[in-house]
Amino acid sequence: MGCCRSLPKCGGCFAVMARRFCCKFCWVKPEKRVIILGQKGSGKTSLLYNMHSNLPFSSKKIPTRGYNYEVISFSPFKTYEFVDPGGSEMQTTMWPVFTDSVSFNYIVYVIDMGGYLDLDPEKRQGYFKEDRKNLRLILANQKNNKSKIQARVIVYMNFRTETNEDSKGEVGAKLLDKKAMLRALLMDELQLHHDDSKPNNLWIPSENFCDRVEDRQTYGEEGLKSRTLLSLLDVGDGDMWEAYCYPDWVNYFH
């Protein structure tokens, strides 16, 4: 089912919807494809429906049976297909079926950082072991599959919230610095750094790690701008529905 992402807060979208039709009975084909992967309970489906319907992130973990499929229109001219397979041990063995049979432009891998923070420090050892294994398999599959589009691999660090406050009440610069430290820790734990001395090594660019869907924030002593998931999906501010939604348009079509 297609969805205008800003529909709940935008009254002018219906006037623009006509521009999405290529004929009376069919929609313009989605521009790009995205697959969302990650361990069971990491928050893949919460992320999908946050983008789809602006639903808040949920701490309730309901396993996905099979997979979810949605088409999201970020603007009248930018529509993506999203696939969200389950993340159980059996379902992860089926991920190559998706990636080998369909050319995806983006692979979003979700890691449950909220679960990591909820653990006592002495129990955190080895928390990212399965994520490292899964990402290495994803990258190796991408590298070996020369006939397909080389998808951009994005790591989404799910803190289970899109607010400026975490579960322990930390806010502002303190929270952003904490996230920057956790981002560096995660990159070290995954061991997917670029190494010029190893031409065949598997790696993910540091800028492909993000922890927010939108709303860029400044973090660290150097005031770096954090990348957002939408920016890594090449959805810019000018691609959002608000740029096309004006009250006068509604009056024009009445």
Side-chain angles (χ1 to χ4, degrees):
M1 179 178 178
C3 171
C4 159
R5 185 170 187 269
S6 297
L7 190 57
K9 58 184 177 182
C10 173
C13 294
F14 289 109
V16 193
M17 290 294 283
R19 302 188 66 169
R20 292 292 304 143
F21 284 104
C22 60
C23 66
K24 184 180 291 187
F25 302 106
C26 66
W27 291 86
V28 175
K29 291 183 179 180
E31 180 183 355
K32 294 181 180 178
R33 297 188 180 98
V34 185
I35 187 168
I36 305 177
L37 304 176
Q39 289 193 68
K40 178 181 177 181
S42 60
K44 302 182 297 299
T45 304
S46 290
L47 176 63
L48 172 62
Y49 287 101
N50 178 268
M51 289 188 288
H52 179 275
S53 306
N54 288 310
L55 295 178
F57 280 78
S58 173
S59 58
K60 184 183 294 185
K61 297 182 179 181
I62 303 175
T64 297
R65 296 182 179 181
Y67 65 93
N68 297 304
Y69 173 84
E70 297 291 351
V71 176
I72 303 177
S73 292
F74 294 102
S75 80
F77 311 104
K78 184 156 284 192
T79 297
Y80 288 7
E81 285 181 298
F82 285 81
V83 179
D84 162 35
S88 68
E89 185 176 351
M90 183 182 70
Q91 288 171 305
T92 56
T93 62
M94 301 297 293
W95 289 352
V97 175
F98 288 92
T99 55
D100 289 348
S101 58
V102 178
S103 293
F104 288 98
N105 304 92
Y106 307 93
I107 298 174
V108 179
Y109 189 87
V110 181
I111 296 180
D112 184 9
M113 297 300 292
Y116 174 80
L117 294 176
D118 288 342
L119 291 174
D120 294 330
E122 61 270 16
K123 296 181 180 179
R124 293 175 180 174
Q125 184 71 25
Y127 181 85
F128 301 110
K129 181 179 179 181
E130 284 299 313
D131 293 310
R132 179 169 63 246
K133 173 186 173 183
N134 290 339
L135 280 167
R136 293 189 70 85
L137 288 173
I138 291 168
L139 292 169
N141 184 56
Q142 283 286 295
K143 196 166 189 175
N144 295 331
N145 199 345
K146 303 294 185 181
S147 63
K148 297 290 184 182
I149 297 173
Q150 292 300 299
R152 174 184 290 175
V153 179
I154 302 166
V155 176
Y156 183 81
M157 300 178 292
N158 182 18
F159 289 95
R160 304 181 190 168
T161 178
E162 274 285 297
T163 68
N164 293 326
E165 179 177 346
D166 71 358
S167 59
K168 297 183 179 179
E170 293 183 351
V171 296
K174 185 177 180 181
L175 172 60
L176 295 176
D177 289 341
K178 177 180 177 181
K179 285 186 175 182
M181 292 175 60
L182 289 168
R183 177 173 173 268
L185 169 69
L186 176 62
M187 293 173 63
D188 286 337
E189 289 284 338
L190 295 178
Q191 300 175 9
L192 293 172
H193 298 287
H194 180 58
D195 188 346
D196 289 328
S197 65
K198 299 177 181 178
N200 294 321
N201 80 308
L202 302 173
W203 65 288
I204 299 175
S206 59
E207 61 268 21
N208 285 14
F209 287 74
C210 63
D211 61 74
R212 298 184 68 79
V213 175
E214 51 188 336
D215 298 330
R216 289 164 62 95
Q217 293 189 338
T218 302
Y219 66 92
E221 295 180 357
E222 299 178 0
L224 299 175
K225 285 290 187 181
S226 62
R227 295 296 301 270
T228 65
L229 179 57
L230 290 187
S231 68
L232 289 167
L233 294 176
D234 299 314
V235 178
D237 294 339
D239 295 318
M240 304 303 285
W241 272 91
E242 285 84 346
Y244 302 92
C245 298
Y246 303 103
D248 289 344
W249 288 30
V250 181
N251 297 331
Y252 177 81
F253 282 88
H254 278 175

